[in-house]
Amino acid sequence: GDPVNLTSAANLDVTTTTGINGLDISPDGSRILIMAKPRGTAGGYGAWEVPAPLPGVPRKLLGEGQVGARWSRDGSRLAYIRAGGLAGDALWVADADGSNGREIIKASGGVHIHWPTWSSDGFLYFIRTRSTIANLDQADTFRIDARGGVIEPVVKTERRAVFASPMPDGSGFVYAGDQMTAELSLWWRSS
């Protein structure tokens, strides 16, 4: 069919960068999470929910600087980043509607946390980098239990291991990496 613009009547400016995260579709397919702000405003971006598949009234889930949101596999929780600029980023978990947020990784040392994603066993995979945009610097993949705890390295490299996506059955994960060249390739690793 013909494409339908889901945000044209929403009065939102959608971010043009994907350094922290892209969009996310709810597990039931009825909502889309985007990084946006009210059209024409000078403030920062936040997480907005847009009905899908047809246009509808968007709803702000998280405030300015609370971005990179992803729903858990069952749709009951939300992981997001509290962007911290030079201080680094913090990782938070909240209820699916954005309420009851709880910090599970504090911002520190200028380290940035980007592209969080949920595994079926309740862990959050993410990349850590010093780059604030485009994830072009050295970046490794880590994970943490969504309830909090110890940050565990998953893929360490001298180059980049980014955009991890755990397999739904828990057998492993796919990620993009460039261990041998300047180009990203897809890699699979067992759990």
Side-chain angles (χ1 to χ4, degrees):
D2 292 329
V4 175
N5 188 329
L6 299 176
T7 57
S8 64
N11 201 28
L12 292 176
D13 286 333
V14 178
T15 185
T16 58
T17 64
T18 59
I20 290 180
N21 201 55
L23 61 83
D24 191 36
I25 299 172
S26 66
D28 67 1
S30 68
R31 299 165 289 157
I32 302 169
L33 275 173
I34 57 173
M35 287 173 32
K37 63 182 181 177
R39 187 167 289 135
T41 63
Y45 292 93
W48 288 74
E49 175 184 83
V50 177
L54 298 175
V57 177
R59 185 168 71 95
K60 187 175 186 178
L61 284 182
L62 301 168
E64 184 177 323
Q66 298 173 327
V67 293
R70 292 278 198 198
W71 278 294
S72 60
R73 299 259 171 139
D74 65 1
S76 67
R77 293 178 291 166
L78 196 64
Y80 63 93
I81 298 157
R82 185 175 291 254
L86 294 176
D89 300 329
L91 184 63
W92 287 65
V93 174
D95 294 342
D97 63 0
S99 64
N100 299 314
R102 185 174 55 86
E103 186 178 51
I104 62 170
I105 300 176
K106 293 186 179 306
S108 69
V111 175
H112 293 272
I113 297 170
H114 295 176
W115 287 85
T117 189
W118 292 82
S119 67
S120 56
D121 61 356
F123 278 83
L124 285 163
Y125 285 70
F126 56 92
I127 62 175
R128 288 177 60 182
T129 181
R130 295 222 176 254
S131 174
T132 57
I133 58 169
N135 304 309
L136 296 176
D137 291 341
Q138 188 270 334
D140 296 314
T141 297
F142 289 81
R143 75 179 197 161
I144 189 169
D145 189 306
R147 297 169 295 191
V150 177
I151 300 170
E152 303 172 10
V154 177
V155 179
K156 301 269 301 159
T157 179
E158 295 299 315
R159 299 183 66 91
R160 290 180 294 169
V162 295
F163 315 131
S165 185
M167 303 299 286
D169 65 2
S171 64
F173 60 96
V174 176
Y175 65 97
D178 64 347
Q179 287 87 342
M180 306 293 185
T181 70
E183 304 297 323
L184 289 177
S185 298
L186 287 179
W187 297 75
W188 179 82
R189 183 170 174 173
S190 61
S191 294

